[in-house]
Amino acid sequence: MADKLYQMPENCDFSKVINADTHSNECTPVLDNKFFSKFSGLLINGPKEVVWPKNGDPSDYPAGPWGTTEGPFRLMVAGLVRTEYKTLGLKGEASEEVLLVAVNQQTAESYSGKMPQPDVDTEPDFDMGLEEIPPTDEEQNKLLTSYFNFDLVHDLGLPIKEASYNVYATLGEMKSNSIIINTKVE
Amino acid sequence: MALVQWVNLEKHADYAADSDIGSEDRCGALEIKTAFASGSVPLSYKVKVTPSGSDDVTYTTAELGRNKNFKMTKGATDLGTSAEVVMSDTVKLPAAGGNKYKLEAKDANGKVVKSEEIEAKRKLYYQFMHMEDTNGKVTPYALTQMEGHCANYHIVLSKAGTDKKIPFHKCVNSGAGGRFSHVGFAADVRAEYDLTAPQKKVGCVTALSNYVASFKSTTKTLTHSIGGPANPKISITPSVAAGVATTVGIPGKITLSILTGHEFLWYGLDDDDDLAKVWFIDGAASFTPNTSSASPSAMAGQSIQISRTDVSIGGTKMRTHGGHQVIEVTVNPGSTLDNMISQASGTLDFAFELNRVKGFSGGFSWGGAGFALTTCCTKAWFEDKQPSKSDVIWNHEIGHRMGMVAFGDKPNATYPNPKLPDAPPHLYGEKRGVNDKGHQGPHCEEGAVTYNATTKRWSGTPGCVLFGATGTSAASSPLTYCSDCEPVVRKLDLSF
């Protein structure tokens, strides 16, 4: 990996990927240096093909209250976003703002969505009296990585039918690599 | 006083056993018996059921087309078997609660007889549970406030069965990948849920939990300028090498205030997570010499991993029951890290991937385990939950159980449900990932509230108990529904 800033894991098991998880996994793109890489931007990795069963119904596998999914009707994509702390005011925690897009290559129908979020209050509803100490100027320029994992069936509403999709992720002006995912129903 | 008809219940002995019901006749469809004088032939008689309430709610044409339970339907007419002539008619009243009706029967001669006024009500059952075992407990309390809240909308929320204890867990982890999630919690509850099948059909569990929270992975960096200005978030105690005075080296310590404000490490929320140091995922340090200095080339640009065994929680808890923001890194004498901090000048960058608290939830309502589960936490943000907040949460969660906020006219919702009434005007969140506005599921943004999509923060004063949080930093959510949601609650079909 000396001359390349990242690698895409191949032959990893996408069925183990957890929807809406903010952690890396065996399918997550790997940077040349996890913390101090010079890479900035978005990377995604997905299966080349997914086969869904002909019988059954996705509604038989309801998502958990916070978007975790299970069952045979899933299509998982893993990725990372590496931005400066100051980018878009996201403090380096950009994964929840990443928009994943899947475009049907035959019909040009487009599907997009963000990761589902747990129904939690991200700040207290009372004054804790704890001030946020801002980072130094130097720390504001540091590149920080956050991870995302999508289930395109649940998060984007991909239909259960045979198709070929061009899939990519965006954040602001940034766009990831594009991958082709073929779906089959057998 | 009006006769009560429980419009969401089927005719069943389990319901009739309740003192406020008393008879299966009072459940489900109205059975109207019209007696005729002996010898009379009931030709051309008519039975009429007419709405009579002054504040009845009415369904729209679209609603009537989506759910047959929103309509009044007339069943077959039967000739009675008694000696006198008794005609029996069945009329199924609409699903709405609080509506009133008058019954009239008119014979061929134009004689009209009337019954008492009929009032439609709905009834739901709940079984109460709370976490308690040898590991800990949450203190149970009565849910009479929630019962009174539901009564305002013509819903009798009735406690049934015996109160149950379920295993204590510090936290139900509501995030992806948590150790004890909603699934494990639901399994604990299911094992104790023993209402009768008819009660479960229109019932739910109300379980008191400790924390409901989720974690998220986050990467943080801190920069230490050796020989330069001090970073207030970093404190370094050098190691002491073995020598004449100390035959064994003494490790040094780097203390890093890695989180500030209302960000906390995932610590103190799950004993097993704490033992496994789940708050720590990975860490590294990198040394960069000053361009003008003559630092040893061996150190230049070098980065090293910081191992799990060398990190620990530091500092003190920031809140009553926990809340940590500081980590410590052990500096072993002679280690590369020791060499890095011993340089005369240069920059030391620390980077950590951590699990921090993403947020706390007041509770949740979930039907995915095959039964209706509602829960309310007793702690959040490492503090005890204020009772007033708990009341809001219970009223909110039971509202979800009943189907609020309704979106029956939204076919593009993530999970369309045409059996629900039309949505009130300030619905949001029926499309996951599209209009959630930081919350999960259908909610109501009535009131002087504004959502800033960039900061992902709400501000202002919520006007409905089905706002997606217990409040904003400015004001708490109310205990009751807004005026737009009130009639929708009354229109809900609670027959499930």
Side-chain angles (χ1 to χ4, degrees), chain B residues 228-262:
Chain B
N231 186 332
K233 295 181 184 174
I234 302 175
S235 158
I236 297 178
T237 304
S239 66
V240 178
V244 178
T246 54
T247 53
V248 179
I250 302 172
K253 185 172 70 179
I254 303 170
T255 304
L256 304 119
S257 298
I258 201 75
L259 302 178
T260 64
H262 57 253

PDB file of all heavy atoms in Angstrom, chain B residues 228-262:
ATOM      1  N   GLY B 228       6.833  24.105  23.021  1.00  0.00           N
ATOM      2  CA  GLY B 228       6.027  25.230  22.553  1.00  0.00           C
ATOM      3  C   GLY B 228       4.918  25.542  23.539  1.00  0.00           C
ATOM      4  O   GLY B 228       4.961  25.115  24.691  1.00  0.00           O
ATOM      5  N   PRO B 229       3.891  26.277  23.055  1.00  0.00           N
ATOM      6  CA  PRO B 229       2.779  26.628  23.942  1.00  0.00           C
ATOM      7  C   PRO B 229       2.043  25.383  24.428  1.00  0.00           C
ATOM      8  O   PRO B 229       1.879  24.423  23.664  1.00  0.00           O
ATOM      9  CB  PRO B 229       1.882  27.499  23.063  1.00  0.00           C
ATOM     10  CG  PRO B 229       2.470  27.536  21.714  1.00  0.00           C
ATOM     11  CD  PRO B 229       3.748  26.793  21.702  1.00  0.00           C
ATOM     12  N   ALA B 230       1.626  25.437  25.676  1.00  0.00           N
ATOM     13  CA  ALA B 230       0.968  24.272  26.265  1.00  0.00           C
ATOM     14  C   ALA B 230      -0.443  24.121  25.706  1.00  0.00           C
ATOM     15  O   ALA B 230      -1.122  25.103  25.424  1.00  0.00           O
ATOM     16  CB  ALA B 230       0.904  24.429  27.780  1.00  0.00           C
ATOM     17  N   ASN B 231      -0.859  22.881  25.504  1.00  0.00           N
ATOM     18  CA  ASN B 231      -2.246  22.579  25.139  1.00  0.00           C
ATOM     19  C   ASN B 231      -2.977  22.260  26.441  1.00  0.00           C
ATOM     20  O   ASN B 231      -2.619  21.303  27.128  1.00  0.00           O
ATOM     21  CB  ASN B 231      -2.289  21.383  24.179  1.00  0.00           C
ATOM     22  CG  ASN B 231      -3.699  21.108  23.657  1.00  0.00           C
ATOM     23  OD1 ASN B 231      -4.682  21.407  24.321  1.00  0.00           O
ATOM     24  ND2 ASN B 231      -3.771  20.544  22.464  1.00  0.00           N
ATOM     25  N   PRO B 232      -3.990  23.050  26.801  1.00  0.00           N
ATOM     26  CA  PRO B 232      -4.653  22.836  28.096  1.00  0.00           C
ATOM     27  C   PRO B 232      -5.323  21.480  28.219  1.00  0.00           C
ATOM     28  O   PRO B 232      -5.678  21.067  29.324  1.00  0.00           O
ATOM     29  CB  PRO B 232      -5.687  23.971  28.141  1.00  0.00           C
ATOM     30  CG  PRO B 232      -5.899  24.383  26.727  1.00  0.00           C
ATOM     31  CD  PRO B 232      -4.598  24.142  26.032  1.00  0.00           C
ATOM     32  N   LYS B 233      -5.479  20.795  27.101  1.00  0.00           N
ATOM     33  CA  LYS B 233      -6.138  19.483  27.171  1.00  0.00           C
ATOM     34  C   LYS B 233      -5.142  18.343  27.397  1.00  0.00           C
ATOM     35  O   LYS B 233      -5.549  17.177  27.492  1.00  0.00           O
ATOM     36  CB  LYS B 233      -6.914  19.218  25.869  1.00  0.00           C
ATOM     37  CG  LYS B 233      -8.084  20.166  25.630  1.00  0.00           C
ATOM     38  CD  LYS B 233      -8.776  19.801  24.335  1.00  0.00           C
ATOM     39  CE  LYS B 233      -9.876  20.783  24.002  1.00  0.00           C
ATOM     40  NZ  LYS B 233     -10.475  20.524  22.685  1.00  0.00           N
ATOM     41  N   ILE B 234      -3.855  18.678  27.412  1.00  0.00           N
ATOM     42  CA  ILE B 234      -2.841  17.628  27.528  1.00  0.00           C
ATOM     43  C   ILE B 234      -1.935  17.893  28.725  1.00  0.00           C
ATOM     44  O   ILE B 234      -1.460  19.013  28.931  1.00  0.00           O
ATOM     45  CB  ILE B 234      -1.965  17.539  26.255  1.00  0.00           C
ATOM     46  CG1 ILE B 234      -2.838  17.264  25.028  1.00  0.00           C
ATOM     47  CG2 ILE B 234      -0.902  16.452  26.397  1.00  0.00           C
ATOM     48  CD1 ILE B 234      -2.057  17.286  23.718  1.00  0.00           C
ATOM     49  N   SER B 235      -1.710  16.855  29.513  1.00  0.00           N
ATOM     50  CA  SER B 235      -0.770  16.940  30.629  1.00  0.00           C
ATOM     51  C   SER B 235       0.126  15.709  30.576  1.00  0.00           C
ATOM     52  O   SER B 235      -0.356  14.582  30.416  1.00  0.00           O
ATOM     53  CB  SER B 235      -1.555  17.007  31.946  1.00  0.00           C
ATOM     54  OG  SER B 235      -0.760  16.605  33.009  1.00  0.00           O
ATOM     55  N   ILE B 236       1.446  15.920  30.682  1.00  0.00           N
ATOM     56  CA  ILE B 236       2.397  14.811  30.552  1.00  0.00           C
ATOM     57  C   ILE B 236       3.254  14.697  31.803  1.00  0.00           C
ATOM     58  O   ILE B 236       3.855  15.676  32.254  1.00  0.00           O
ATOM     59  CB  ILE B 236       3.296  14.998  29.310  1.00  0.00           C
ATOM     60  CG1 ILE B 236       2.433  14.980  28.032  1.00  0.00           C
ATOM     61  CG2 ILE B 236       4.365  13.909  29.254  1.00  0.00           C
ATOM     62  CD1 ILE B 236       3.211  15.212  26.755  1.00  0.00           C
ATOM     63  N   THR B 237       3.268  13.516  32.360  1.00  0.00           N
ATOM     64  CA  THR B 237       4.175  13.205  33.472  1.00  0.00           C
ATOM     65  C   THR B 237       5.221  12.237  32.927  1.00  0.00           C
ATOM     66  O   THR B 237       4.881  11.104  32.551  1.00  0.00           O
ATOM     67  CB  THR B 237       3.420  12.528  34.634  1.00  0.00           C
ATOM     68  OG1 THR B 237       2.339  13.374  35.028  1.00  0.00           O
ATOM     69  CG2 THR B 237       4.342  12.275  35.806  1.00  0.00           C
ATOM     70  N   PRO B 238       6.505  12.669  32.851  1.00  0.00           N
ATOM     71  CA  PRO B 238       7.522  11.798  32.257  1.00  0.00           C
ATOM     72  C   PRO B 238       7.748  10.531  33.081  1.00  0.00           C
ATOM     73  O   PRO B 238       7.494  10.511  34.290  1.00  0.00           O
ATOM     74  CB  PRO B 238       8.781  12.670  32.258  1.00  0.00           C
ATOM     75  CG  PRO B 238       8.302  14.060  32.514  1.00  0.00           C
ATOM     76  CD  PRO B 238       7.049  13.956  33.286  1.00  0.00           C
ATOM     77  N   SER B 239       8.211   9.526  32.413  1.00  0.00           N
ATOM     78  CA  SER B 239       8.589   8.298  33.125  1.00  0.00           C
ATOM     79  C   SER B 239       9.940   8.519  33.798  1.00  0.00           C
ATOM     80  O   SER B 239      10.657   9.480  33.516  1.00  0.00           O
ATOM     81  CB  SER B 239       8.691   7.132  32.134  1.00  0.00           C
ATOM     82  OG  SER B 239       9.770   7.371  31.242  1.00  0.00           O
ATOM     83  N   VAL B 240      10.247   7.634  34.714  1.00  0.00           N
ATOM     84  CA  VAL B 240      11.551   7.675  35.380  1.00  0.00           C
ATOM     85  C   VAL B 240      12.270   6.373  35.048  1.00  0.00           C
ATOM     86  O   VAL B 240      11.753   5.278  35.338  1.00  0.00           O
ATOM     87  CB  VAL B 240      11.396   7.838  36.904  1.00  0.00           C
ATOM     88  CG1 VAL B 240      12.760   7.837  37.578  1.00  0.00           C
ATOM     89  CG2 VAL B 240      10.622   9.110  37.232  1.00  0.00           C
ATOM     90  N   ALA B 241      13.409   6.508  34.441  1.00  0.00           N
ATOM     91  CA  ALA B 241      14.146   5.310  34.033  1.00  0.00           C
ATOM     92  C   ALA B 241      14.782   4.637  35.247  1.00  0.00           C
ATOM     93  O   ALA B 241      15.051   5.272  36.271  1.00  0.00           O
ATOM     94  CB  ALA B 241      15.220   5.688  33.022  1.00  0.00           C
ATOM     95  N   ALA B 242      14.996   3.357  35.123  1.00  0.00           N
ATOM     96  CA  ALA B 242      15.692   2.628  36.183  1.00  0.00           C
ATOM     97  C   ALA B 242      17.115   3.144  36.297  1.00  0.00           C
ATOM     98  O   ALA B 242      17.744   3.490  35.300  1.00  0.00           O
ATOM     99  CB  ALA B 242      15.688   1.137  35.865  1.00  0.00           C
ATOM    100  N   GLY B 243      17.584   3.240  37.492  1.00  0.00           N
ATOM    101  CA  GLY B 243      18.933   3.739  37.695  1.00  0.00           C
ATOM    102  C   GLY B 243      19.408   3.384  39.087  1.00  0.00           C
ATOM    103  O   GLY B 243      18.936   2.404  39.678  1.00  0.00           O
ATOM    104  N   VAL B 244      20.263   4.182  39.555  1.00  0.00           N
ATOM    105  CA  VAL B 244      20.819   3.898  40.885  1.00  0.00           C
ATOM    106  C   VAL B 244      19.752   4.119  41.956  1.00  0.00           C
ATOM    107  O   VAL B 244      19.542   3.301  42.856  1.00  0.00           O
ATOM    108  CB  VAL B 244      22.036   4.812  41.158  1.00  0.00           C
ATOM    109  CG1 VAL B 244      22.589   4.564  42.557  1.00  0.00           C
ATOM    110  CG2 VAL B 244      23.106   4.576  40.102  1.00  0.00           C
ATOM    111  N   ALA B 245      19.022   5.245  41.813  1.00  0.00           N
ATOM    112  CA  ALA B 245      18.024   5.579  42.833  1.00  0.00           C
ATOM    113  C   ALA B 245      16.791   4.688  42.710  1.00  0.00           C
ATOM    114  O   ALA B 245      16.215   4.249  43.700  1.00  0.00           O
ATOM    115  CB  ALA B 245      17.623   7.044  42.708  1.00  0.00           C
ATOM    116  N   THR B 246      16.390   4.415  41.499  1.00  0.00           N
ATOM    117  CA  THR B 246      15.207   3.565  41.282  1.00  0.00           C
ATOM    118  C   THR B 246      15.629   2.368  40.442  1.00  0.00           C
ATOM    119  O   THR B 246      15.939   2.485  39.264  1.00  0.00           O
ATOM    120  CB  THR B 246      14.109   4.343  40.533  1.00  0.00           C
ATOM    121  OG1 THR B 246      14.674   4.881  39.347  1.00  0.00           O
ATOM    122  CG2 THR B 246      13.551   5.459  41.378  1.00  0.00           C
ATOM    123  N   THR B 247      15.647   1.227  41.081  1.00  0.00           N
ATOM    124  CA  THR B 247      16.111   0.033  40.372  1.00  0.00           C
ATOM    125  C   THR B 247      15.121  -0.428  39.316  1.00  0.00           C
ATOM    126  O   THR B 247      15.469  -1.158  38.400  1.00  0.00           O
ATOM    127  CB  THR B 247      16.343  -1.112  41.367  1.00  0.00           C
ATOM    128  OG1 THR B 247      15.148  -1.278  42.136  1.00  0.00           O
ATOM    129  CG2 THR B 247      17.501  -0.804  42.295  1.00  0.00           C
ATOM    130  N   VAL B 248      13.842  -0.008  39.471  1.00  0.00           N
ATOM    131  CA  VAL B 248      12.823  -0.333  38.474  1.00  0.00           C
ATOM    132  C   VAL B 248      12.283   0.982  37.914  1.00  0.00           C
ATOM    133  O   VAL B 248      12.036   1.926  38.664  1.00  0.00           O
ATOM    134  CB  VAL B 248      11.671  -1.142  39.103  1.00  0.00           C
ATOM    135  CG1 VAL B 248      10.604  -1.451  38.052  1.00  0.00           C
ATOM    136  CG2 VAL B 248      12.191  -2.422  39.735  1.00  0.00           C
ATOM    137  N   GLY B 249      12.134   1.045  36.593  1.00  0.00           N
ATOM    138  CA  GLY B 249      11.613   2.252  35.969  1.00  0.00           C
ATOM    139  C   GLY B 249      10.182   2.538  36.412  1.00  0.00           C
ATOM    140  O   GLY B 249       9.408   1.617  36.693  1.00  0.00           O
ATOM    141  N   ILE B 250       9.833   3.817  36.489  1.00  0.00           N
ATOM    142  CA  ILE B 250       8.471   4.212  36.873  1.00  0.00           C
ATOM    143  C   ILE B 250       7.769   4.770  35.630  1.00  0.00           C
ATOM    144  O   ILE B 250       8.264   5.722  35.015  1.00  0.00           O
ATOM    145  CB  ILE B 250       8.493   5.283  37.983  1.00  0.00           C
ATOM    146  CG1 ILE B 250       9.245   4.738  39.211  1.00  0.00           C
ATOM    147  CG2 ILE B 250       7.084   5.718  38.350  1.00  0.00           C
ATOM    148  CD1 ILE B 250       9.495   5.779  40.284  1.00  0.00           C
ATOM    149  N   PRO B 251       6.633   4.169  35.272  1.00  0.00           N
ATOM    150  CA  PRO B 251       5.943   4.643  34.062  1.00  0.00           C
ATOM    151  C   PRO B 251       5.480   6.091  34.185  1.00  0.00           C
ATOM    152  O   PRO B 251       5.143   6.552  35.282  1.00  0.00           O
ATOM    153  CB  PRO B 251       4.739   3.702  33.948  1.00  0.00           C
ATOM    154  CG  PRO B 251       5.073   2.536  34.791  1.00  0.00           C
ATOM    155  CD  PRO B 251       5.947   3.037  35.891  1.00  0.00           C
ATOM    156  N   GLY B 252       5.498   6.769  33.080  1.00  0.00           N
ATOM    157  CA  GLY B 252       4.936   8.105  33.036  1.00  0.00           C
ATOM    158  C   GLY B 252       3.474   8.044  32.621  1.00  0.00           C
ATOM    159  O   GLY B 252       2.896   6.959  32.445  1.00  0.00           O
ATOM    160  N   LYS B 253       2.888   9.209  32.455  1.00  0.00           N
ATOM    161  CA  LYS B 253       1.454   9.232  32.157  1.00  0.00           C
ATOM    162  C   LYS B 253       1.122  10.452  31.293  1.00  0.00           C
ATOM    163  O   LYS B 253       1.605  11.557  31.549  1.00  0.00           O
ATOM    164  CB  LYS B 253       0.678   9.288  33.470  1.00  0.00           C
ATOM    165  CG  LYS B 253      -0.824   9.192  33.332  1.00  0.00           C
ATOM    166  CD  LYS B 253      -1.502   9.070  34.686  1.00  0.00           C
ATOM    167  CE  LYS B 253      -1.406  10.344  35.479  1.00  0.00           C
ATOM    168  NZ  LYS B 253      -2.083  10.261  36.777  1.00  0.00           N
ATOM    169  N   ILE B 254       0.334  10.219  30.279  1.00  0.00           N
ATOM    170  CA  ILE B 254      -0.194  11.331  29.476  1.00  0.00           C
ATOM    171  C   ILE B 254      -1.697  11.413  29.740  1.00  0.00           C
ATOM    172  O   ILE B 254      -2.430  10.435  29.556  1.00  0.00           O
ATOM    173  CB  ILE B 254       0.050  11.104  27.974  1.00  0.00           C
ATOM    174  CG1 ILE B 254       1.540  10.901  27.699  1.00  0.00           C
ATOM    175  CG2 ILE B 254      -0.483  12.282  27.147  1.00  0.00           C
ATOM    176  CD1 ILE B 254       1.850  10.441  26.283  1.00  0.00           C
ATOM    177  N   THR B 255      -2.133  12.554  30.228  1.00  0.00           N
ATOM    178  CA  THR B 255      -3.556  12.762  30.518  1.00  0.00           C
ATOM    179  C   THR B 255      -4.147  13.645  29.430  1.00  0.00           C
ATOM    180  O   THR B 255      -3.650  14.745  29.182  1.00  0.00           O
ATOM    181  CB  THR B 255      -3.729  13.418  31.901  1.00  0.00           C
ATOM    182  OG1 THR B 255      -3.080  12.600  32.888  1.00  0.00           O
ATOM    183  CG2 THR B 255      -5.199  13.563  32.254  1.00  0.00           C
ATOM    184  N   LEU B 256      -5.188  13.142  28.784  1.00  0.00           N
ATOM    185  CA  LEU B 256      -5.781  13.857  27.646  1.00  0.00           C
ATOM    186  C   LEU B 256      -7.270  14.115  27.892  1.00  0.00           C
ATOM    187  O   LEU B 256      -8.050  13.174  28.078  1.00  0.00           O
ATOM    188  CB  LEU B 256      -5.617  13.051  26.362  1.00  0.00           C
ATOM    189  CG  LEU B 256      -4.172  12.676  26.013  1.00  0.00           C
ATOM    190  CD1 LEU B 256      -4.029  11.168  25.968  1.00  0.00           C
ATOM    191  CD2 LEU B 256      -3.746  13.283  24.695  1.00  0.00           C
ATOM    192  N   SER B 257      -7.647  15.382  27.915  1.00  0.00           N
ATOM    193  CA  SER B 257      -9.078  15.738  27.990  1.00  0.00           C
ATOM    194  C   SER B 257      -9.629  15.616  26.572  1.00  0.00           C
ATOM    195  O   SER B 257      -9.766  16.590  25.844  1.00  0.00           O
ATOM    196  CB  SER B 257      -9.240  17.154  28.519  1.00  0.00           C
ATOM    197  OG  SER B 257      -8.729  17.244  29.828  1.00  0.00           O
ATOM    198  N   ILE B 258      -9.941  14.390  26.225  1.00  0.00           N
ATOM    199  CA  ILE B 258     -10.240  14.078  24.825  1.00  0.00           C
ATOM    200  C   ILE B 258     -11.640  14.525  24.414  1.00  0.00           C
ATOM    201  O   ILE B 258     -11.911  14.760  23.242  1.00  0.00           O
ATOM    202  CB  ILE B 258     -10.030  12.558  24.575  1.00  0.00           C
ATOM    203  CG1 ILE B 258      -9.828  12.253  23.103  1.00  0.00           C
ATOM    204  CG2 ILE B 258     -11.116  11.723  25.184  1.00  0.00           C
ATOM    205  CD1 ILE B 258      -8.475  12.627  22.574  1.00  0.00           C
ATOM    206  N   LEU B 259     -12.550  14.634  25.387  1.00  0.00           N
ATOM    207  CA  LEU B 259     -13.906  15.116  25.109  1.00  0.00           C
ATOM    208  C   LEU B 259     -14.218  16.296  26.019  1.00  0.00           C
ATOM    209  O   LEU B 259     -13.699  16.379  27.138  1.00  0.00           O
ATOM    210  CB  LEU B 259     -14.946  14.007  25.351  1.00  0.00           C
ATOM    211  CG  LEU B 259     -14.792  12.708  24.551  1.00  0.00           C
ATOM    212  CD1 LEU B 259     -15.874  11.704  24.956  1.00  0.00           C
ATOM    213  CD2 LEU B 259     -14.858  12.962  23.058  1.00  0.00           C
ATOM    214  N   THR B 260     -15.052  17.192  25.548  1.00  0.00           N
ATOM    215  CA  THR B 260     -15.495  18.321  26.379  1.00  0.00           C
ATOM    216  C   THR B 260     -16.983  18.572  26.137  1.00  0.00           C
ATOM    217  O   THR B 260     -17.616  17.854  25.371  1.00  0.00           O
ATOM    218  CB  THR B 260     -14.708  19.618  26.049  1.00  0.00           C
ATOM    219  OG1 THR B 260     -15.005  20.001  24.692  1.00  0.00           O
ATOM    220  CG2 THR B 260     -13.219  19.429  26.224  1.00  0.00           C
ATOM    221  N   GLY B 261     -17.502  19.588  26.780  1.00  0.00           N
ATOM    222  CA  GLY B 261     -18.920  19.911  26.601  1.00  0.00           C
ATOM    223  C   GLY B 261     -19.810  18.773  27.073  1.00  0.00           C
ATOM    224  O   GLY B 261     -19.585  18.210  28.144  1.00  0.00           O
ATOM    225  N   HIS B 262     -20.814  18.435  26.270  1.00  0.00           N
ATOM    226  CA  HIS B 262     -21.700  17.340  26.676  1.00  0.00           C
ATOM    227  C   HIS B 262     -21.380  16.037  25.936  1.00  0.00           C
ATOM    228  O   HIS B 262     -22.244  15.177  25.768  1.00  0.00           O
ATOM    229  CB  HIS B 262     -23.166  17.727  26.506  1.00  0.00           C
ATOM    230  CG  HIS B 262     -23.534  18.147  25.112  1.00  0.00           C
ATOM    231  ND1 HIS B 262     -23.782  19.453  24.761  1.00  0.00           N
ATOM    232  CD2 HIS B 262     -23.694  17.435  23.985  1.00  0.00           C
ATOM    233  CE1 HIS B 262     -24.079  19.516  23.478  1.00  0.00           C
ATOM    234  NE2 HIS B 262     -24.023  18.309  22.987  1.00  0.00           N
TER     235      HIS B 262
END
